[in-house]
Amino acid sequence: MAKNKQLLVAGVDVGGTNIEVGLVDDQHKVHGRAKAPTPSEGPDAVLDTIAELIGSLGEDPVAVGVGIPGVVHEGEVLTVPNLGGWHEQVDLVGGLGSRLDGLPVALGNDANVGLLGEWLDGAAKGSRHVLGLWMGTGVGGGLILDGRPYTGARGAAGEIGHVVVLAGGALCSCGRRGCAEAYAGRRSMAGTAGSMVEAGRTTALFDIMEAEDKPTPTSKVWAQALDDGDELATTLFDGAIEHLGIAVGSTINLLDLDVVVVGGGLAEKLGQDLADRIGEAARPWMLRPSPELRIVVSALGDDAGVVGAASLGRAALLVD
Amino acid sequence: MAKNKQLLVAGVDVGGTNIEVGLVDDQHKVHGRAKAPTPSEGPDAVLDTIAELIGSLGEDPVAVGVGIPGVVHEGEVLTVPNLGGWHEQVDLVGGLGSRLDGLPVALGNDANVGLLGEWLDGAAKGSRHVLGLWMGTGVGGGLILDGRPYTGARGAAGEIGHVVVLAGGALCSCGRRGCAEAYAGRRSMAGTAGSMVEAGRTTALFDIMEAEDKPTPTSKVWAQALDDGDELATTLFDGAIEHLGIAVGSTINLLDLDVVVVGGGLAEKLGQDLADRIGEAARPWMLRPSPELRIVVSALGDDAGVVGAASLGRAALLVD
């Protein structure tokens, strides 16, 4: 074994809540993990935390790959809309490299990187035309087209959450009306639930949230409320599925995919049943779906981002 | 010149109304054209007409490429929904080859082939991420992604006309409610105009149609009515633009394109003004468009399909 020692790459998944790091081998297996809350003080604090987490893994990686919730183009982070203090373009590759003795560092968008993990070693392994649909605070997406990751002209592709499904409908956090995310993002759903409670409706959603000591209704909170048969939570969630189905159906009509992978916190809690429900909601909108089309839940769960990010790091090593 | 004689390829554009054929050189220039109404008696009559048109060109091509309004996958025509008598899978390559002394024949979907023409030598020349949007009887589309034609898992990609822009809205000819085509396809717009006339509204649309001796309101008829300031035609056309804008905006969010080419009969009549109006309608729905995004009218017009089809024929020659 010592002779054939694996070269491990650190995969880093920077989320709005936590940063997760794993050491990943060239067969996409994760050998060690570490996790910390995402600092809200801006880029320097985030880079420090990533470097500390990598240092805590006990073994030195040969490269680092990072998935970040922002627009990444040619290795540059263009915008990071959902993390505190990221107001300008940040040289994340240089800043992290200098904290890690010049290790090669590669960058990707978190949704794209998560799909990369699922495509390399998860639910979309071996597929050529894939949509990754991530249900979280918002609704994110990534694409594999013709057997290659697709990020578009400037790295901003995959925004299935901002496919407009009902023009003029519900207000989205992006300021437009009728995006899929306005119905199916956890932040939007919580906002709607709050308004309905103010208007006199009842739900256990916020009681569960408080009992769980969470600042907002998390996936776990939603899963609990749905499991308890909470009427308002069920109505909102049915609406989320219905509107996601329209966005997925339109995307199939546009891209003739063979796999849709459903991931994110809610997918981890609800499993294949969530993917099946989205599939049922999407089918009526599809014109000519491939007979082999599959709509499946993420196989790697939380590890998808770490595995995908590590693969970017490994690729950086090859070209370095 | 005789020493360097060009090898010409026949490009065939099979439309719902006409079949157009051109002899195209390797610089995508069209050297001769022929045209005939599309027979409605089914595949054999269509193949006979194509062979006759090619024979009438005066010079023998070395290969043939055909764009057809149907789903084409790996050289097979899977479905041809809009031509009379095409009820089953047809061996168009074999049937045409045998009529043309075994010339190499290649096949593509008409919208994809039209975009191929614009990408090789028209409005999208040199671009890597392109949507072709064809406004005709229906609304068709084609995609160039990452610098390559994209047709999806089974050749059915590009259906921007069946991106759902207002779920539950206007009835589309595909049977769904709220597709872009239900608002912007000429067939749908004529249906809506007819219903509104029955309900007491007035329009010159059908008078112009009769004066032009057309069975349905063609692009020319619409252009005339719009030019005359016909109120109903203007209202319907404004709605078409508005809903196409939503579909284009969603597609940009999903694919981060750098060019949208607007073509088809209406684009030929209305020019860049049509593309500008669609761009204006799309911008408010875009999340993070590339700063270099252009929305432009077709540069090749009617020749786009012929040039694109010929390029497929030329490629078939190379692999034959």
Side-chain angles (χ1 to χ4, degrees):
Chain A
M1 277 301 283
K3 268 198 291 188
N4 254 328
K5 194 162 156 45
Q6 278 269 10
L7 297 181
L8 298 174
V9 173
V12 182
D13 185 7
V14 180
T17 312
N18 291 306
I19 298 176
E20 305 198 31
V21 176
L23 280 173
V24 183
D25 70 22
D26 62 1
Q27 300 300 306
H28 312 299
K29 299 303 166 229
V30 183
H31 289 253
R33 292 177 179 79
K35 184 172 170 174
T38 308
S40 55
E41 296 85 12
D44 276 333
V46 168
L47 293 179
D48 288 345
T49 301
I50 294 175
E52 280 161 30
L53 285 169
I54 291 175
S56 78
L57 291 170
E59 207 164 340
D60 289 337
V62 294
V64 179
V66 182
I68 191 153
V71 177
V72 176
H73 184 56
E74 292 174 356
E76 294 282 309
V77 183
L78 299 185
T79 57
V80 184
N82 290 319
L83 294 185
W86 292 67
H87 303 303
E88 47 203 48
Q89 212 162 309
V90 173
D91 179 14
L92 197 145
V93 168
L96 195 54
S98 72
R99 281 169 174 83
L100 295 167
D101 299 327
L103 274 188
V105 176
L107 261 191
N109 164 270
D110 61 345
N112 293 335
V113 156
L115 178 58
L116 201 50
E118 292 292 337
W119 178 58
L120 289 169
D121 199 43
K125 192 168 177 174
S127 294
R128 291 182 57 81
H129 309 82
V130 189
L131 167 71
L133 170 67
W134 309 116
M135 290 184 74
T137 311
V139 173
L143 293 166
I144 304 288
L145 299 180
D146 263 344
R148 305 189 301 181
Y150 179 86
T151 58
R154 296 255 302 173
E159 290 288 1
I160 185 152
H162 300 282
V163 165
V164 177
V165 294
L166 185 61
L171 185 62
C172 186
S173 54
C174 74
R176 295 163 191 84
R177 285 195 171 273
C179 298
E181 179 170 308
Y183 299 94
R186 270 205 326 268
R187 182 170 40 205
S188 296
M189 288 163 68
T192 309
S195 307
M196 292 176 87
V197 167
E198 275 180 40
R201 291 283 297 266
T202 56
T203 174
L205 205 52
F206 298 103
D207 303 328
I208 300 170
M209 177 185 93
E210 279 168 30
E212 293 279 343
D213 201 22
K214 303 287 187 189
T216 58
T218 58
S219 296
K220 189 179 173 186
V221 171
W222 276 97
Q224 182 65 54
L226 294 171
D227 202 43
D228 294 348
D230 182 85
E231 202 180 312
L232 180 58
T234 303
T235 302
L236 288 175
F237 194 68
D238 289 351
I241 299 285
E242 182 192 326
H243 290 92
L244 278 182
I246 300 165
V248 169
S250 287
T251 302
I252 301 281
N253 295 344
L254 207 50
L255 296 176
D256 189 13
L257 303 168
D258 35 38
V259 180
V260 177
V261 179
V262 180
L266 276 165
E268 283 207 62
K269 303 293 177 209
L270 303 175
Q272 180 59 33
D273 182 52
L274 176 64
D276 288 342
R277 289 194 59 193
I278 292 173
E280 265 170 57
R283 292 251 167 221
W285 301 100
M286 295 180 197
L287 191 64
R288 282 186 293 259
S290 164
E292 283 99 41
L293 173 68
R294 296 181 299 126
I295 300 186
V296 292
V297 74
S298 154
L300 301 184
D302 262 358
D303 276 353
V306 165
V307 168
S311 77
L312 287 185
R314 198 169 288 274
L317 194 61
L318 293 175
V319 298
D320 218 50
Chain B
M1 277 303 282
K3 268 199 289 187
N4 254 327
K5 194 164 157 43
Q6 279 269 12
L7 297 181
L8 298 174
V9 173
V12 183
D13 186 6
V14 180
T17 312
N18 290 306
I19 298 175
E20 304 198 33
V21 176
L23 279 173
V24 184
D25 70 22
D26 62 1
Q27 300 300 304
H28 313 298
K29 299 301 166 229
V30 183
H31 290 253
R33 292 176 179 79
K35 185 171 168 173
T38 307
S40 55
E41 298 84 11
D44 276 333
V46 169
L47 293 178
D48 288 345
T49 301
I50 294 174
E52 279 162 29
L53 285 169
I54 292 174
S56 78
L57 291 170
E59 207 164 339
D60 288 336
V62 294
V64 180
V66 182
I68 191 154
V71 177
V72 177
H73 184 56
E74 292 174 354
E76 293 283 308
V77 183
L78 300 185
T79 57
V80 184
N82 291 320
L83 294 186
W86 291 67
H87 303 302
E88 48 203 48
Q89 212 161 311
V90 172
D91 179 14
L92 197 144
V93 169
L96 195 54
S98 73
R99 281 168 175 83
L100 295 166
D101 299 326
L103 273 189
V105 176
L107 260 191
N109 163 269
D110 60 346
N112 293 335
V113 156
L115 178 58
L116 200 52
E118 291 292 336
W119 178 59
L120 290 169
D121 199 43
K125 191 169 178 174
S127 295
R128 291 183 56 81
H129 308 83
V130 189
L131 167 70
L133 169 67
W134 310 116
M135 290 184 74
T137 310
V139 173
L143 293 166
I144 305 287
L145 300 179
D146 262 344
R148 305 189 301 181
Y150 179 86
T151 58
R154 298 254 301 174
E159 289 289 1
I160 187 151
H162 300 282
V163 165
V164 177
V165 295
L166 185 62
L171 186 63
C172 185
S173 54
C174 73
R176 295 162 191 84
R177 284 196 172 274
C179 298
E181 178 169 307
Y183 299 93
R186 269 205 327 266
R187 180 170 41 202
S188 297
M189 288 163 69
T192 308
S195 307
M196 291 176 87
V197 168
E198 275 181 40
R201 293 282 298 264
T202 55
T203 174
L205 206 50
F206 299 104
D207 303 327
I208 300 170
M209 178 185 93
E210 278 166 32
E212 293 280 342
D213 201 22
K214 304 285 187 188
T216 58
T218 58
S219 296
K220 189 178 175 188
V221 172
W222 275 97
Q224 182 65 54
L226 293 171
D227 202 45
D228 293 349
D230 182 85
E231 203 181 312
L232 180 59
T234 302
T235 303
L236 287 175
F237 194 68
D238 289 352
I241 299 285
E242 182 191 326
H243 290 93
L244 277 183
I246 299 165
V248 169
S250 287
T251 302
I252 301 281
N253 294 345
L254 207 51
L255 296 176
D256 189 13
L257 303 169
D258 36 36
V259 180
V260 177
V261 180
V262 180
L266 276 164
E268 282 206 63
K269 302 293 177 209
L270 303 175
Q272 180 60 32
D273 182 52
L274 175 64
D276 288 342
R277 289 195 59 194
I278 292 173
E280 266 171 57
R283 294 251 166 220
W285 301 101
M286 295 180 197
L287 192 64
R288 283 186 292 260
S290 164
E292 284 99 41
L293 173 67
R294 296 182 299 125
I295 300 183
V296 292
V297 75
S298 155
L300 301 184
D302 261 359
D303 275 353
V306 166
V307 167
S311 77
L312 286 185
R314 197 168 289 275
L317 193 61
L318 294 175
V319 298
D320 218 53

